């Protein structure tokens, strides 16, 4: 292994360790709750029916937390390691420049710091494409792992058509009954307009793919300044992808995106982060496009994209305003203000609260509002209310019970409201 590659991998590791202990957000909290609550068999045969993903990451994290605990860093460390693996295979496919761009890529860094399957998916996809090109026997193994890491990787099958791929597809047969159950529940969830809007096929979601591939999870404002700032780099990206003229890498990048868009006409799955596994192809094509420029432009163009990566990654890593939802401080605030607190929280999103609460508070779920009768005060966390309570029935019930919101605090994506009632009404409300 060359010294330069070692330095790139070390840089990739350092960037992925910065702010690794930031608060868990909703999906990470649910992932923690699942792997620490259920026995393995129940996790992969029953719980997962309501979580539209294959089982590989759940199984891996189930055993991981038993060995290394469930701190924020422990939960996310597998994703860090998979992120380093993605950089390694990007190097094997495209050399040092491609590896350096992958090491500093803001979106790859972000999901290398998340206790979900996206970093695993990028790693297994990059390894699979590498072994497919090399016609290695390891291809079958990594391809099976890839298909069991995320369903959208199945959209790479047209790119990988071969006799070994047919053998890989046979490995999916035992999983098909679970998949059918997941589809039934997933289609029911897709009928929720607020939920479907996050992943439906729209001009906004299509445009977010190149934008987020370039700048990561930084927010995008809809004004002329941001449009002008991004226009030239995005035009240069499009030119370099065309200049690369690599049919295989282009198929890796565009086939899942096109097929995902077509599927989203019926089932909303089109969100840029779900296609993280095509991002290495993006950087490989970008590097090849740069290498086809006139010699006097190559270094300047590469440095431009490296600086974009470092600037956007630095903004995310060093500015807590761009970090994940701050459940940790929200729960700490409740504990500090009211140690014997009662907390009303929608049952579908209780997991990140429970991760930090550790049973210190008494939970009231939305289906059990009668418990509030006779109470003088409690906390309400209206997180994800447009999705799970679109008609705002909870607040209306609280108003009818005579409660009044007397204080409200915001903790980066998590709002905490304190309700009081000096003369609680003594009758039951059915939610």
């Amino acid at each position: 292994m060359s010294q330069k590659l070692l330095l790139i991998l070390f840089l990739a590791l350092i960037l992925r360790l910065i702010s690794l202990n930031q608060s868990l957000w909703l999906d990470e909290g649910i992932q923690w709750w699942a792997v620490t609550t259920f026995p393995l068999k129940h996790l992969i045969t029953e719980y997962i029916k309501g979580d539209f993903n294959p089982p590989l990451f759940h199984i891996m994290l189930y055993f991981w937390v038993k060995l290394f605990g469930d701190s924020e860093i422990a939960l996310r460390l597998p994703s860090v390691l998979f992120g380093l693996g993605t950089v390694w295979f990007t190097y094997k496919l495209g050399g040092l420049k491609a590896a350096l761009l992958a090491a500093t890529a803001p979106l790859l860094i972000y999901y290398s710091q998340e206790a979900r399957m996206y970093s695993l998916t990028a790693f297994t996809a990059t390894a699979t494409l590498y072994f497919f090109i090399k016609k290695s026997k390891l291809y079958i193994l990594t391809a099976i792992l890839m298909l069991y890491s995320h369903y959208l990787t199945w959209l790479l099958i047209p790119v990988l058509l071969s006799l070994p791929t047919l053998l890989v597809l046979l490995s999916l047969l035992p999983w098909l009954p679970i998949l059918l159950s997941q589809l039934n529940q997933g289609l029911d969830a897709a009928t929720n307009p607020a939920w479907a809007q996050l992943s439906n096929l729209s001009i906004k979601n299509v445009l977010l793919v190149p934008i987020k591939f370039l700048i990561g999870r930084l927010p995008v404002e809809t004004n002329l300044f941001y449009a002008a700032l991004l226009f030239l780099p995005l035009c240069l990206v499009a030119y370099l992808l065309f200049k690369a003229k690599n049919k295989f890498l282009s198929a890796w990048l565009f086939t899942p995106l096109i097929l995902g868009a077509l599927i989203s006409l019926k089932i909303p799955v089109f969100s840029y982060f779900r296609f993280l596994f095509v991002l290495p192809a993006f950087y490989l094509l970008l590097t090849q496009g740069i290498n086809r420029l006139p010699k006097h432009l190559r270094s300047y163009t590469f440095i431009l994209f490296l600086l974009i990566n470092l600037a956007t990654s630095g903004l995310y890593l060093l500015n807590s305003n761009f970090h994940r939802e701050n459940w940790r401080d929200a729960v700490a605030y409740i504990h500090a203000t009211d140690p014997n607190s009662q907390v009303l929280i929608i049952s579908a999103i209780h997991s990140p609260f429970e991760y930090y609460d550790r049973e210190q508070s008494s939970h009231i779920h939305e289906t059990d509002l009668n418990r509030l009768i006779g109470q003088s005060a409690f906390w309400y966390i209206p997180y994800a209310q447009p999705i799970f309570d679109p008609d705002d029935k909870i607040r209306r019930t609280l108003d009818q019970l005579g409660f009044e919101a007397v204080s409200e605090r915001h903790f980066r994506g998590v709002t905490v409201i304190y309700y009081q009632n000096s003369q609680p009404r003594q009758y039951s409300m059915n939610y």
Side-chain angles (χ1 to χ4, degrees):
M1 189 181 297
S2 71
Q3 187 176 16
K4 290 182 179 179
L5 177 58
L6 284 173
L7 289 174
I8 290 173
L9 290 172
F10 181 71
L11 173 63
L13 176 62
I14 294 300
L15 291 175
R16 283 155 176 79
L17 293 179
I18 297 173
S19 300
L20 188 62
N21 67 334
Q22 61 186 271
S23 174
L24 299 186
W25 78 291
L26 174 63
D27 283 9
E28 292 179 295
I30 294 173
Q31 186 76 62
W32 160 79
W33 174 76
V35 300
T36 57
T37 301
F38 299 109
L40 182 61
K41 182 180 178 180
H42 185 96
L43 180 69
I44 62 177
T45 60
E46 297 300 328
Y47 163 79
I48 206 167
K49 291 178 181 178
D51 182 350
F52 193 67
N53 285 289
L56 180 59
F57 187 76
H58 295 75
I59 296 170
M60 182 220 66
L61 197 63
Y62 175 86
F63 289 106
W64 180 271
V65 297
K66 291 185 179 304
L67 292 174
F68 300 103
D70 65 350
S71 68
E72 292 104 330
I73 291 177
L75 288 167
R76 289 166 172 158
L77 194 56
S79 293
V80 172
L81 299 176
F82 293 134
L84 295 180
T86 300
V87 174
W88 162 259
F89 278 107
T90 302
Y91 161 76
K92 299 290 285 184
L93 285 163
L96 291 170
K97 287 183 177 180
L100 183 54
L101 290 179
T104 57
L107 207 59
L108 288 176
I109 290 173
Y110 185 92
Y111 286 102
S112 291
Q113 296 188 324
E114 184 160 294
R116 290 288 279 165
M117 68 289 301
Y118 304 110
S119 184
L120 167 65
T121 304
F123 166 68
T124 55
T126 311
T128 296
L129 272 293
Y130 170 75
F131 289 126
F132 179 80
I133 293 172
K134 296 298 181 181
K135 298 181 179 179
S136 168
K137 293 180 181 179
L138 289 174
Y139 164 71
I140 292 178
L141 173 61
T142 58
I144 292 172
L145 294 176
M146 177 187 75
L147 297 181
Y148 272 91
S149 67
H150 197 279
Y151 283 129
L152 289 189
T153 63
W154 295 22
L155 303 181
L156 279 172
I157 291 173
V159 183
L160 301 170
L161 288 179
S162 65
L163 181 58
T165 301
L166 295 178
L167 297 176
V168 170
L169 293 177
L170 291 176
S171 73
L172 298 175
L173 291 177
W175 187 248
L176 292 183
I178 302 293
L179 172 59
L180 293 176
S181 297
Q182 290 179 320
L183 279 172
N184 290 331
Q185 295 194 36
L187 290 174
D188 288 341
T191 60
N192 185 313
W195 191 271
Q197 186 179 4
L198 300 174
S199 303
N200 64 3
L201 184 63
S202 64
I203 294 175
K204 174 186 175 182
N205 284 340
V206 170
L207 290 176
L208 280 177
V209 172
I211 292 173
K212 294 298 185 177
F213 278 16
L214 186 66
I215 68 170
R217 287 294 299 246
L218 297 183
V220 179
E221 303 292 338
T222 54
N223 58 50
L224 289 176
F225 173 76
Y226 273 85
L229 191 65
L230 292 172
F231 180 74
L232 289 179
L234 289 173
C235 286
L236 181 56
V237 165
Y239 174 73
L240 292 173
L241 295 183
F242 171 77
K243 190 82 172 173
K245 290 183 169 59
N246 187 309
K247 292 182 180 180
F248 182 77
L249 292 178
S250 296
W252 176 4
L253 175 60
F254 292 110
T255 300
L257 290 170
I258 294 170
L259 294 178
L262 293 174
I263 291 172
S264 292
L265 294 173
K266 286 290 185 181
I267 305 173
V269 297
F270 198 89
S271 294
Y272 65 89
F273 60 89
R274 294 195 176 106
F275 294 93
L276 191 73
F277 62 93
V278 307
L279 194 53
F282 172 82
Y283 285 112
L284 289 164
L285 285 168
L286 203 63
T287 304
Q288 290 192 6
I290 291 172
N291 290 338
R292 289 178 177 270
L293 293 174
K295 286 186 177 180
H296 65 283
L297 294 178
R298 293 176 191 172
S299 295
Y300 294 113
T301 307
F302 175 78
I303 290 172
L304 171 64
F305 283 103
L306 180 60
L307 290 176
I308 290 174
N309 277 3
L310 291 172
T312 51
S313 295
L315 280 172
Y316 154 65
L317 292 170
L318 301 177
N319 188 336
S320 62
N321 291 326
F322 300 132
H323 290 177
R324 291 165 177 81
E325 301 157 359
N326 194 359
W327 286 91
R328 178 168 54 204
D329 285 354
V331 175
Y333 170 73
I334 291 175
H335 288 170
T337 308
D338 183 7
N340 300 313
S341 54
Q342 292 197 91
V343 180
L344 170 59
I345 188 167
I346 295 172
S347 55
I349 56 97
H350 68 95
S351 301
F353 182 89
E354 287 191 358
Y355 178 84
Y356 292 105
D357 184 59
R358 303 289 172 161
E359 300 183 348
Q360 292 188 47
S361 305
S362 175
H363 294 188
I364 303 169
H365 288 164
E366 76 280 9
T367 58
D368 195 20
L369 296 185
N370 286 334
R371 284 182 55 191
L372 294 173
I373 296 173
Q375 301 296 324
S376 61
F378 64 93
W379 301 89
Y380 173 42
I381 300 178
Y383 180 92
Q385 171 265 319
I387 295 176
F388 297 106
D389 183 23
D391 297 325
D392 214 5
K393 291 181 180 179
I394 293 176
R395 288 185 199 259
R396 289 194 281 111
T397 300
L398 297 180
D399 290 341
Q400 291 171 356
L401 286 172
F403 287 100
E404 180 182 358
V406 296
S407 69
E408 186 171 313
R409 289 287 299 269
H410 303 280
F411 297 90
R412 200 172 60 247
V414 182
T415 297
V416 175
I417 306 174
Y418 191 60
Y419 275 85
Q420 281 186 338
N421 187 352
S422 57
Q423 296 179 335
R425 301 181 186 180
Q426 300 299 316
Y427 58 85
S428 172
M429 294 296 302
N430 293 318
Y431 176 68

